[in-house]
Amino acid sequence: MSVPLTLGLRGHNPDILTCIANLSNDEVFTPPELANRMLDTLAEAWAKDHDGANLWADPNVRFLDPCAKSGVFLREITRRLSVGLAAQMPDVQARVDHILTQQVFGIAVTRLTALLTRRSLYCSKNARGKHSIGTQFTTNDGNVWWQRLEHTWHNDRCVYCGAPRSVFDRDESRETHAYAFIHTRDIQARITELFGKPMQFDVIIGNPPYQLECDGGTRDIPIYQHFVEQAKQLEPQYLVMVIPSRWMASGLGLASFRQAMLSDRCIRELVDYPVAKEVFPGVEIKAGVCYFLRDRYHDGDCRITTIRGNASAEPQIRSLGEFDVLVRDSNALSILRKVLAHKEPSINTILARDKEFGWTSNFTGIRTKQLADDIPVYYIRKNKRAVGFVARSEVKKSEHLVDVWKLLVPEAYGAGETEQHQILGKPIVAPSPSACTQSYLFFSIHSRSEAESLRSYYQTRLFRFLVSLRKITQHATHSTYVWVPMQTWDRTWTESELYGKYGLTEEEQKYIASRIKVMDAESSDDE
C-alpha cells in the first residue's frame, strides 16, 4: 500500500519539488514553502469566516488548480486534508480516495506538467497505475486534465491570449501553450467539458504562466491576468494566486487589469515580495511577485504585507484603490498625501513622451563629426552615453522641440532591489538646439539657468522618492513622474527647502533618506 507516502511527503529529504528546475521564466514552479504560506493564508481566512472551523477537516470543500505545473498545491492540499479528515474517515484508503476523487482537481498547462502533477499527487504518472495511491479512478488522467489545444487565430494573433501566430503556430512536436483555462469565452462550459459535469469550486489556487514570447523576444505578452479573470468567473469563495507584482504600476496591456484589481473590494489579503528571487530562487522576475487572497464575500479594505528577506513589515489595512496605481510602500503614504495636498501641476506637463523625435535607441543615422546645419543628438549605446550629430532636416517629428533647452533623463535605470537606491540615472543639460533618441526622456525648459535649477530639483531625494512610488521596473515612462509637482526654476533646490514646503516631519525625512541614495552632482553614470 502506497498511501502512507502521500501522508508523509514533507518528511522526505529532499523533497523533489524543492530541487526541480524551472522550465522557463514564463512557467515558474512554485516552491513548497511558498505554496504552504499561501495555504496557511487561505486556512486563516476560512477559520475567520467559519467560526474557527478547520478548512482541512471539511470533506465537502472542492479545490481547483487551473494552471498546474509541479502539482505542489494539489499535493499539499491533499496532505493537509489527509490529516484533517482522519478522525471522521479513519480508513486511510477510503479517506485518500475521497480526497482525490471528490476534492482536488487540476488543469495542467503542458503535457509534461500533467505528468509531473499526477506524479506529485497520485505518486504515479497514471492515476490508475499500480503505484497510484488512488484506487477509484477509471482513467489514467484522474482529476488532472490535459489535452493539446490550438490557438484561434485572427489577424495573426490568438483571439484569447494574444499569442503571435509567427511564434505559436506549431506542429505536433512542440507545445502550443494554448492553455485550456483561458482559451474559452464560457469557462463554466469548459469546466463541464473537462470534468464531465458542472462543478462549483470553493477554492481556486495556483501560479499561472506569466507571459508568452513575442515576435523577436522584445516585449513579451503578459498572460497571468487572464487566469485571474477567468477564475473570478467561476465564482469560488476564495481565489488565491501568485503573480508578478508588475501589474501594480505598469505592464504591457495591464491597464484594465490593474484598474479591476485596485477597485476589487473582495481582495482581502495581499502579500508582496519586492525581491522575487527570495521566493523563486534562480529566477529573475523584475518588480517582484505577490500573492493575493480574494474572498467573494469580503467587501472592504485589504490587508497588505510586504516581505523582504527575513523581515516582514507590519501589515497595513488600506484601500487598494486610493490611487491609479498601488503604492507598495505603506510608509510612503503620509508623505505622498502631503505633497498631493498642495494640488500643484505635475512636472510631467513639461516632460516629453517616449521616442519624442521618432528615433529608437538603435537609430543608426547618427554621425560622429559635425557638419554644417547639424544638431547634436544624445544617445546611449552599449550602456555608454554619447553625443553625435544629424542634419536638422532629418528631424521629422517634434521639430518645435529642437530649439529649447532640455534636461535629459535616462529612460531606463536599474529598478534596484536594495533598500537604498538611486532610482533614476543622472541627468544631462542639453543646449538649444539639440535632440535625443529613445534612450532619453527630457524636460523642456527655457534657458540654461532654468535647466540647472530643474537639475537641482531632480537630484533631490524627494523628487526621486516620488518617482519611486510609481517606478516598479527599470523603465521610467512619462506617467512615472506624475506625482512630482512643478516648482519655480529660479533657485537651486535643496532637500531642506522642499521638506519645509511640504511639512515633512523629521521621521518622514529620515525615511526618505533610508530609501533613496544621494545623487552625486559631479560624477556621471553610464546606463
Side-chain angles (χ1 to χ4, degrees), residues 1-7 93 122-123 130-133:
M1 175 67 65
S2 299
V3 167
L5 178 62
T6 200
L7 303 184
Q93 188 62 66
Y122 307 136
C123 299
K130 67 178 182 177
H131 298 297
S132 174
I133 60 173

mmCIF file with all atom_site columns, all heavy atoms in Angstrom, residues 1-7 93 122-123 130-133:
data_model
loop_
_atom_site.group_PDB
_atom_site.id
_atom_site.type_symbol
_atom_site.label_atom_id
_atom_site.label_alt_id
_atom_site.label_comp_id
_atom_site.label_asym_id
_atom_site.label_entity_id
_atom_site.label_seq_id
_atom_site.pdbx_PDB_ins_code
_atom_site.Cartn_x
_atom_site.Cartn_y
_atom_site.Cartn_z
_atom_site.occupancy
_atom_site.B_iso_or_equiv
_atom_site.pdbx_formal_charge
_atom_site.auth_seq_id
_atom_site.auth_comp_id
_atom_site.auth_asym_id
_atom_site.auth_atom_id
_atom_site.pdbx_PDB_model_num
ATOM 1   N N   . MET A 1 1   ? 0.841  -1.197 0.000   1.00 0.00 ? 1   MET A N   1
ATOM 2   C CA  . MET A 1 1   ? 0.000  0.000  0.000   1.00 0.00 ? 1   MET A CA  1
ATOM 3   C C   . MET A 1 1   ? 0.879  1.251  0.000   1.00 0.00 ? 1   MET A C   1
ATOM 4   O O   . MET A 1 1   ? 1.758  1.403  0.821   1.00 0.00 ? 1   MET A O   1
ATOM 5   C CB  . MET A 1 1   ? -0.921 -0.006 1.238   1.00 0.00 ? 1   MET A CB  1
ATOM 6   C CG  . MET A 1 1   ? -1.758 1.263  1.384   1.00 0.00 ? 1   MET A CG  1
ATOM 7   S SD  . MET A 1 1   ? -2.981 1.457  0.083   1.00 0.00 ? 1   MET A SD  1
ATOM 8   C CE  . MET A 1 1   ? -4.032 0.059  0.417   1.00 0.00 ? 1   MET A CE  1
ATOM 9   N N   . SER A 1 2   ? 0.595  2.185  -0.955  1.00 0.00 ? 2   SER A N   1
ATOM 10  C CA  . SER A 1 2   ? 1.418  3.387  -1.108  1.00 0.00 ? 2   SER A CA  1
ATOM 11  C C   . SER A 1 2   ? 0.865  4.587  -0.376  1.00 0.00 ? 2   SER A C   1
ATOM 12  O O   . SER A 1 2   ? 1.449  5.644  -0.380  1.00 0.00 ? 2   SER A O   1
ATOM 13  C CB  . SER A 1 2   ? 1.565  3.739  -2.595  1.00 0.00 ? 2   SER A CB  1
ATOM 14  O OG  . SER A 1 2   ? 2.186  2.699  -3.294  1.00 0.00 ? 2   SER A OG  1
ATOM 15  N N   . VAL A 1 3   ? -0.295 4.446  0.254   1.00 0.00 ? 3   VAL A N   1
ATOM 16  C CA  . VAL A 1 3   ? -0.963 5.591  0.852   1.00 0.00 ? 3   VAL A CA  1
ATOM 17  C C   . VAL A 1 3   ? -0.087 6.359  1.830   1.00 0.00 ? 3   VAL A C   1
ATOM 18  O O   . VAL A 1 3   ? -0.039 7.583  1.800   1.00 0.00 ? 3   VAL A O   1
ATOM 19  C CB  . VAL A 1 3   ? -2.283 5.158  1.532   1.00 0.00 ? 3   VAL A CB  1
ATOM 20  C CG1 . VAL A 1 3   ? -2.815 6.272  2.420   1.00 0.00 ? 3   VAL A CG1 1
ATOM 21  C CG2 . VAL A 1 3   ? -3.313 4.813  0.477   1.00 0.00 ? 3   VAL A CG2 1
ATOM 22  N N   . PRO A 1 4   ? 0.644  5.705  2.748   1.00 0.00 ? 4   PRO A N   1
ATOM 23  C CA  . PRO A 1 4   ? 1.442  6.486  3.696   1.00 0.00 ? 4   PRO A CA  1
ATOM 24  C C   . PRO A 1 4   ? 2.424  7.449  3.050   1.00 0.00 ? 4   PRO A C   1
ATOM 25  O O   . PRO A 1 4   ? 2.787  8.444  3.650   1.00 0.00 ? 4   PRO A O   1
ATOM 26  C CB  . PRO A 1 4   ? 2.175  5.399  4.495   1.00 0.00 ? 4   PRO A CB  1
ATOM 27  C CG  . PRO A 1 4   ? 1.259  4.217  4.426   1.00 0.00 ? 4   PRO A CG  1
ATOM 28  C CD  . PRO A 1 4   ? 0.689  4.261  3.046   1.00 0.00 ? 4   PRO A CD  1
ATOM 29  N N   . LEU A 1 5   ? 2.822  7.178  1.810   1.00 0.00 ? 5   LEU A N   1
ATOM 30  C CA  . LEU A 1 5   ? 3.752  8.080  1.127   1.00 0.00 ? 5   LEU A CA  1
ATOM 31  C C   . LEU A 1 5   ? 3.158  9.469  0.980   1.00 0.00 ? 5   LEU A C   1
ATOM 32  O O   . LEU A 1 5   ? 3.808  10.476 1.236   1.00 0.00 ? 5   LEU A O   1
ATOM 33  C CB  . LEU A 1 5   ? 4.126  7.515  -0.248  1.00 0.00 ? 5   LEU A CB  1
ATOM 34  C CG  . LEU A 1 5   ? 5.066  8.363  -1.101  1.00 0.00 ? 5   LEU A CG  1
ATOM 35  C CD1 . LEU A 1 5   ? 6.388  8.522  -0.377  1.00 0.00 ? 5   LEU A CD1 1
ATOM 36  C CD2 . LEU A 1 5   ? 5.262  7.725  -2.459  1.00 0.00 ? 5   LEU A CD2 1
ATOM 37  N N   . THR A 1 6   ? 1.890  9.547  0.593   1.00 0.00 ? 6   THR A N   1
ATOM 38  C CA  . THR A 1 6   ? 1.286  10.866 0.398   1.00 0.00 ? 6   THR A CA  1
ATOM 39  C C   . THR A 1 6   ? 1.057  11.580 1.720   1.00 0.00 ? 6   THR A C   1
ATOM 40  O O   . THR A 1 6   ? 0.984  12.795 1.778   1.00 0.00 ? 6   THR A O   1
ATOM 41  C CB  . THR A 1 6   ? -0.042 10.762 -0.381  1.00 0.00 ? 6   THR A CB  1
ATOM 42  O OG1 . THR A 1 6   ? -0.325 12.028 -0.942  1.00 0.00 ? 6   THR A OG1 1
ATOM 43  C CG2 . THR A 1 6   ? -1.200 10.363 0.505   1.00 0.00 ? 6   THR A CG2 1
ATOM 44  N N   . LEU A 1 7   ? 0.941  10.803 2.811   1.00 0.00 ? 7   LEU A N   1
ATOM 45  C CA  . LEU A 1 7   ? 0.745  11.438 4.108   1.00 0.00 ? 7   LEU A CA  1
ATOM 46  C C   . LEU A 1 7   ? 2.044  11.980 4.671   1.00 0.00 ? 7   LEU A C   1
ATOM 47  O O   . LEU A 1 7   ? 2.046  12.849 5.524   1.00 0.00 ? 7   LEU A O   1
ATOM 48  C CB  . LEU A 1 7   ? 0.151  10.420 5.091   1.00 0.00 ? 7   LEU A CB  1
ATOM 49  C CG  . LEU A 1 7   ? -1.170 9.759  4.656   1.00 0.00 ? 7   LEU A CG  1
ATOM 50  C CD1 . LEU A 1 7   ? -1.685 8.861  5.764   1.00 0.00 ? 7   LEU A CD1 1
ATOM 51  C CD2 . LEU A 1 7   ? -2.205 10.812 4.314   1.00 0.00 ? 7   LEU A CD2 1
ATOM 52  N N   . GLN A 1 93  ? -7.285 4.361  3.192   1.00 0.00 ? 93  GLN A N   1
ATOM 53  C CA  . GLN A 1 93  ? -7.532 4.262  1.747   1.00 0.00 ? 93  GLN A CA  1
ATOM 54  C C   . GLN A 1 93  ? -8.833 4.941  1.351   1.00 0.00 ? 93  GLN A C   1
ATOM 55  O O   . GLN A 1 93  ? -8.899 5.657  0.347   1.00 0.00 ? 93  GLN A O   1
ATOM 56  C CB  . GLN A 1 93  ? -7.548 2.805  1.307   1.00 0.00 ? 93  GLN A CB  1
ATOM 57  C CG  . GLN A 1 93  ? -7.594 2.634  -0.216  1.00 0.00 ? 93  GLN A CG  1
ATOM 58  C CD  . GLN A 1 93  ? -6.377 3.225  -0.901  1.00 0.00 ? 93  GLN A CD  1
ATOM 59  O OE1 . GLN A 1 93  ? -5.269 2.734  -0.712  1.00 0.00 ? 93  GLN A OE1 1
ATOM 60  N NE2 . GLN A 1 93  ? -6.580 4.273  -1.691  1.00 0.00 ? 93  GLN A NE2 1
ATOM 61  N N   . TYR A 1 122 ? -0.647 11.678 -7.234  1.00 0.00 ? 122 TYR A N   1
ATOM 62  C CA  . TYR A 1 122 ? -1.043 10.276 -7.152  1.00 0.00 ? 122 TYR A CA  1
ATOM 63  C C   . TYR A 1 122 ? 0.125  9.326  -6.902  1.00 0.00 ? 122 TYR A C   1
ATOM 64  O O   . TYR A 1 122 ? -0.072 8.124  -6.756  1.00 0.00 ? 122 TYR A O   1
ATOM 65  C CB  . TYR A 1 122 ? -1.755 9.853  -8.441  1.00 0.00 ? 122 TYR A CB  1
ATOM 66  C CG  . TYR A 1 122 ? -2.914 10.731 -8.839  1.00 0.00 ? 122 TYR A CG  1
ATOM 67  C CD1 . TYR A 1 122 ? -3.091 11.140 -10.166 1.00 0.00 ? 122 TYR A CD1 1
ATOM 68  C CD2 . TYR A 1 122 ? -3.842 11.167 -7.891  1.00 0.00 ? 122 TYR A CD2 1
ATOM 69  C CE1 . TYR A 1 122 ? -4.153 11.942 -10.537 1.00 0.00 ? 122 TYR A CE1 1
ATOM 70  C CE2 . TYR A 1 122 ? -4.906 11.976 -8.250  1.00 0.00 ? 122 TYR A CE2 1
ATOM 71  C CZ  . TYR A 1 122 ? -5.054 12.366 -9.577  1.00 0.00 ? 122 TYR A CZ  1
ATOM 72  O OH  . TYR A 1 122 ? -6.103 13.167 -9.934  1.00 0.00 ? 122 TYR A OH  1
ATOM 73  N N   . CYS A 1 123 ? 1.350  9.871  -6.882  1.00 0.00 ? 123 CYS A N   1
ATOM 74  C CA  . CYS A 1 123 ? 2.571  9.057  -6.781  1.00 0.00 ? 123 CYS A CA  1
ATOM 75  C C   . CYS A 1 123 ? 2.739  8.150  -7.997  1.00 0.00 ? 123 CYS A C   1
ATOM 76  O O   . CYS A 1 123 ? 3.427  7.120  -7.942  1.00 0.00 ? 123 CYS A O   1
ATOM 77  C CB  . CYS A 1 123 ? 2.581  8.221  -5.498  1.00 0.00 ? 123 CYS A CB  1
ATOM 78  S SG  . CYS A 1 123 ? 2.549  9.227  -4.008  1.00 0.00 ? 123 CYS A SG  1
ATOM 79  N N   . LYS A 1 130 ? -0.380 0.954  -11.098 1.00 0.00 ? 130 LYS A N   1
ATOM 80  C CA  . LYS A 1 130 ? -0.214 0.070  -9.932  1.00 0.00 ? 130 LYS A CA  1
ATOM 81  C C   . LYS A 1 130 ? 0.437  0.786  -8.748  1.00 0.00 ? 130 LYS A C   1
ATOM 82  O O   . LYS A 1 130 ? 0.304  0.342  -7.605  1.00 0.00 ? 130 LYS A O   1
ATOM 83  C CB  . LYS A 1 130 ? 0.603  -1.162 -10.315 1.00 0.00 ? 130 LYS A CB  1
ATOM 84  C CG  . LYS A 1 130 ? 2.056  -0.888 -10.672 1.00 0.00 ? 130 LYS A CG  1
ATOM 85  C CD  . LYS A 1 130 ? 2.769  -2.200 -10.977 1.00 0.00 ? 130 LYS A CD  1
ATOM 86  C CE  . LYS A 1 130 ? 4.254  -1.962 -11.302 1.00 0.00 ? 130 LYS A CE  1
ATOM 87  N NZ  . LYS A 1 130 ? 4.960  -3.252 -11.536 1.00 0.00 ? 130 LYS A NZ  1
ATOM 88  N N   . HIS A 1 131 ? 1.145  1.877  -9.005  1.00 0.00 ? 131 HIS A N   1
ATOM 89  C CA  . HIS A 1 131 ? 1.776  2.615  -7.911  1.00 0.00 ? 131 HIS A CA  1
ATOM 90  C C   . HIS A 1 131 ? 0.926  3.790  -7.423  1.00 0.00 ? 131 HIS A C   1
ATOM 91  O O   . HIS A 1 131 ? 1.320  4.489  -6.488  1.00 0.00 ? 131 HIS A O   1
ATOM 92  C CB  . HIS A 1 131 ? 3.138  3.141  -8.356  1.00 0.00 ? 131 HIS A CB  1
ATOM 93  C CG  . HIS A 1 131 ? 4.105  2.058  -8.728  1.00 0.00 ? 131 HIS A CG  1
ATOM 94  N ND1 . HIS A 1 131 ? 4.557  1.120  -7.834  1.00 0.00 ? 131 HIS A ND1 1
ATOM 95  C CD2 . HIS A 1 131 ? 4.695  1.759  -9.920  1.00 0.00 ? 131 HIS A CD2 1
ATOM 96  C CE1 . HIS A 1 131 ? 5.388  0.288  -8.436  1.00 0.00 ? 131 HIS A CE1 1
ATOM 97  N NE2 . HIS A 1 131 ? 5.476  0.655  -9.707  1.00 0.00 ? 131 HIS A NE2 1
ATOM 98  N N   . SER A 1 132 ? -0.221 4.012  -8.049  1.00 0.00 ? 132 SER A N   1
ATOM 99  C CA  . SER A 1 132 ? -1.073 5.137  -7.659  1.00 0.00 ? 132 SER A CA  1
ATOM 100 C C   . SER A 1 132 ? -1.660 4.914  -6.275  1.00 0.00 ? 132 SER A C   1
ATOM 101 O O   . SER A 1 132 ? -2.045 3.793  -5.916  1.00 0.00 ? 132 SER A O   1
ATOM 102 C CB  . SER A 1 132 ? -2.202 5.315  -8.668  1.00 0.00 ? 132 SER A CB  1
ATOM 103 O OG  . SER A 1 132 ? -3.109 6.313  -8.228  1.00 0.00 ? 132 SER A OG  1
ATOM 104 N N   . ILE A 1 133 ? -1.734 5.977  -5.486  1.00 0.00 ? 133 ILE A N   1
ATOM 105 C CA  . ILE A 1 133 ? -2.343 5.864  -4.160  1.00 0.00 ? 133 ILE A CA  1
ATOM 106 C C   . ILE A 1 133 ? -3.861 5.952  -4.236  1.00 0.00 ? 133 ILE A C   1
ATOM 107 O O   . ILE A 1 133 ? -4.546 5.753  -3.227  1.00 0.00 ? 133 ILE A O   1
ATOM 108 C CB  . ILE A 1 133 ? -1.819 6.956  -3.211  1.00 0.00 ? 133 ILE A CB  1
ATOM 109 C CG1 . ILE A 1 133 ? -2.130 8.355  -3.759  1.00 0.00 ? 133 ILE A CG1 1
ATOM 110 C CG2 . ILE A 1 133 ? -0.323 6.775  -2.971  1.00 0.00 ? 133 ILE A CG2 1
ATOM 111 C CD1 . ILE A 1 133 ? -1.783 9.470  -2.800  1.00 0.00 ? 133 ILE A CD1 1
#
